[in-house]
Amino acid sequence: MNEVELRREAVRRRQAGETTEAIAVSLGRTGRWVRKWVARHDAAEAGQDWAQSQSRAPKSSPRRTPDRLRQQVLEARAKLEANPMSQYGALAIAWELQLLGVDPVPEVWTINRILANAGVTRRRGRAPGYQSKGAPYPPPTATGPGEYHQADLIGPRNLDGGIGFHAFNLIDVGTHTAGSQIIDILRPVTIAGSLATIWG
């Protein structure tokens, strides 16, 4: 007998007057198991197949992201992606949702999960079909400190409260020594000032 048939047999024999302990020994189960299926049978509604296993999965998930919030995340992503000057990662989407008055704004990992499930994420890289032009770009061969520096400007980023800023980063190619300055107002004079500060 399979498991469902064993359950039906246990209930049939119990209704016939056999003791719980005798049924349990005969079927290789415990008395608790017999009592469980007898109770399940007695509580079943007409037509309900009480002997079948029931899913233990919750009927609803309190942690499931509401459909409305999922839609807001995807709409914010589409809006940001349509602007070639905008970033459209999870942090940018969170900031956009905050501007729209969404409360609470979902965590970054929740936004990333929503994007992944919707299939709108894509790997960064060159566009398909890219053909190198073969232009030579020889790298500098630094032999000592201070000969070559590489600079990079990252941003804008936004802190909680709407404070926008850029990070100006500089690295010495020869020694790999790095410096960084935060710029709250992006102007040539502030970039030059950051460069002078790091050099200092």
Side-chain angles (χ1 to χ4, degrees):
M1 284 188 287
N2 60 31
E3 188 65 22
V4 172
E5 291 170 340
L6 283 175
R7 295 165 186 170
R8 296 188 193 282
E9 177 67 8
V11 171
R12 184 192 65 76
R13 289 167 63 173
R14 186 70 187 92
Q15 288 178 328
E18 196 170 341
T19 66
T20 297
E21 291 71 21
I23 297 169
V25 172
S26 173
L27 298 180
R29 295 292 189 270
T30 64
R32 181 179 178 183
W33 180 90
V34 174
R35 287 188 292 273
K36 169 187 172 179
W37 290 106
V38 169
R40 180 79 62 85
H41 169 270
D42 293 344
E45 298 177 0
Q48 183 179 0
D49 192 357
W50 57 268
Q52 295 292 335
S53 297
Q54 298 178 358
S55 173
R56 295 186 179 183
K59 303 298 182 187
S60 62
S61 173
R63 295 185 144 201
R64 177 179 169 82
T65 305
D67 290 340
R68 175 62 184 148
L69 182 56
R70 292 176 62 254
Q71 187 62 32
Q72 288 174 318
V73 168
L74 296 176
E75 288 173 357
R77 162 70 180 236
K79 176 183 175 183
L80 293 170
E81 197 172 4
N83 183 351
M85 301 301 293
S86 292
Q87 298 182 29
Y88 48 83
L91 287 173
I93 291 172
W95 176 247
E96 180 69 19
L97 293 174
Q98 186 172 338
L99 293 179
L100 293 172
V102 174
D103 185 30
V105 174
E107 299 290 348
V108 169
W109 52 84
T110 300
I111 294 175
N112 280 327
R113 187 178 67 248
I114 292 171
L115 297 177
N117 290 341
V120 298
T121 56
R122 62 173 179 268
R123 190 173 180 180
R124 293 184 178 271
R126 290 194 174 108
Y130 171 80
Q131 298 268 340
S132 173
K133 296 179 177 61
Y137 295 103
T141 54
T143 57
E147 292 186 16
Y148 296 102
H149 288 166
Q150 291 178 338
D152 190 18
L153 192 62
I154 299 175
R157 294 288 190 269
N158 292 281
L159 296 176
D160 188 21
I163 304 172
F165 67 94
H166 289 74
F168 179 79
N169 304 314
L170 188 76
I171 185 169
D172 184 293
V173 177
T175 64
H176 299 289
T177 303
S180 183
Q181 287 282 306
I182 300 301
I183 303 174
D184 56 351
I185 300 175
L186 192 60
R187 298 284 185 274
V189 65
T190 57
I191 295 175
S194 296
L195 184 60
T197 299
I198 297 174
W199 277 344

